[in-house]
Amino acid sequence: MSSYYNDPHQNPYWQNLNGGTSQKQQEGQGSFEQDPNWHPQPEYGRQLGRTAALLGVFSIGSTVFLPIFLPIIFGSIAVVLAILSKGKQKAFPQGGRQALILGTIGLVINFLLLAACIVTFYLILHDPSVRAQANALMQQLYGYSFDDLWGQFDTTFSTGGVL
């Protein structure tokens, strides 16, 4: 009677635990059809690296269409998955390296965009010349000025109402 640990038909994860390799594997002809004890070595992190690289591309691509929030989410997940794809290996797999680069680029671009938005809004609120330009531009585009819009926000939030 064979045990679960020694019989490949009872244990689908069975490998030759004696440390020896078959004659066919030594000749470079190892496959499951030729030797039922042969198992391919898994490539750790390859699929995870590919997924992370795809998210890094989405991070950069969504900068154009959905700036700030979605690209930051995609970029941060891409960086985390890229780091996880390395596992215990000494070097990143190809997809993991690309994902780390693409995710970082996406994050940097979006944080710079977010900083530019914050600085511009601060300048509109505190610099009279920039506020005059914003008033003129909004008057030209929408028919009312930035001061009118800001006055609506001020009265709405001071009364506790909704827009």
Side-chain angles (χ1 to χ4, degrees):
M1 180 168 183
S2 63
S3 75
Y4 177 79
Y5 296 104
N6 296 329
D7 187 8
H9 300 292
Q10 292 181 10
N11 182 359
Y13 302 107
W14 185 80
Q15 293 180 356
N16 189 355
L17 301 178
N18 298 330
T21 57
S22 69
Q23 182 68 22
K24 293 177 185 175
Q25 283 179 331
Q26 290 175 354
E27 295 170 2
Q29 300 175 358
S31 70
F32 188 74
E33 290 80 23
Q34 296 168 346
D35 184 7
N37 298 331
W38 179 84
H39 295 283
Q41 294 297 320
E43 296 181 29
Y44 296 107
R46 191 179 92 200
Q47 187 64 36
L48 194 61
R50 284 183 189 164
T51 304
L54 185 65
L55 286 172
V57 170
F58 285 166
S59 173
I60 293 175
S62 61
T63 301
V64 176
F65 301 109
L66 302 166
I68 300 179
F69 298 109
L70 199 57
I72 289 175
I73 292 170
F74 282 151
S76 58
I77 292 174
V79 169
V80 169
L81 289 181
I83 292 170
L84 289 177
S85 73
K86 183 177 181 251
K88 294 181 180 180
Q89 298 174 4
K90 293 182 180 178
F92 281 99
Q94 184 67 25
R97 194 172 334 124
Q98 292 171 351
L100 192 62
I101 292 168
L102 292 172
T104 304
I105 288 172
L107 284 173
V108 167
I109 288 171
N110 285 291
F111 279 122
L112 290 175
L113 181 63
L114 181 63
C117 290
I118 291 171
V119 167
T120 302
F121 192 70
Y122 178 81
L123 287 176
I124 288 173
L125 291 179
H126 296 290
D127 189 4
S129 65
V130 176
R131 190 173 192 136
Q133 289 177 349
N135 282 332
L137 183 64
M138 283 191 68
Q139 185 69 36
Q140 180 183 1
L141 292 175
Y142 303 114
Y144 53 90
S145 68
F146 179 78
D147 290 330
D148 297 337
L149 181 66
W150 194 251
Q152 280 182 337
F153 279 126
D154 190 32
T155 58
T156 302
F157 288 120
S158 64
T159 60
V162 238
L163 289 175

